[in-house]
Amino acid sequence: MPVRYRCRHCETEIGTLPFDADETIRKLHLFEVGEVDDYIEKDAHGDTTVHCICEHCEDSLRQFPDYYALKNWLQ
């Protein structure tokens, strides 16, 4: 199953790994205990999605750091 990278703010698909790489993802990102559930999601079909941040959202947060306090800052 492919692994998808998706922005956790705007839901834009950033990229896809065309192969199953669950263990590789965990090793590359060095997640702490409990963080895996916050960033990696597996659906009922076995597809894996890694929630990260796209360049556009990262730039917006850098320009407007107050957005970090908002749960949903995209309209």
Side-chain angles (χ1 to χ4, degrees):
M1 294 289 168
V3 176
R4 291 183 178 82
Y5 281 79
R6 185 174 296 269
C7 180
R8 60 187 164 145
H9 299 288
C10 67
E11 294 294 319
T12 299
E13 189 164 315
I14 298 168
T16 303
L17 297 176
F19 51 86
D20 187 12
D22 286 347
E23 282 304 311
T24 304
I25 291 168
R26 284 181 177 81
K27 289 176 185 174
L28 287 176
H29 295 291
L30 299 173
F31 290 113
E32 296 291 326
V33 174
E35 284 184 328
V36 173
D37 295 336
D38 293 337
Y39 295 100
I40 298 177
E41 174 187 332
K42 259 196 167 306
D43 67 12
H45 302 291
D47 293 339
T48 301
T49 302
V50 177
H51 297 282
C52 48
I53 186 168
C54 69
E55 289 180 14
H56 176 73
C57 289
E58 184 177 21
D59 289 342
S60 295
L61 287 168
R62 210 176 272 135
Q63 280 185 308
F64 305 101
D66 294 341
Y67 286 176
Y68 279 107
L70 303 173
K71 182 174 176 121
N72 186 7
W73 51 273
L74 292 175
Q75 301 290 323

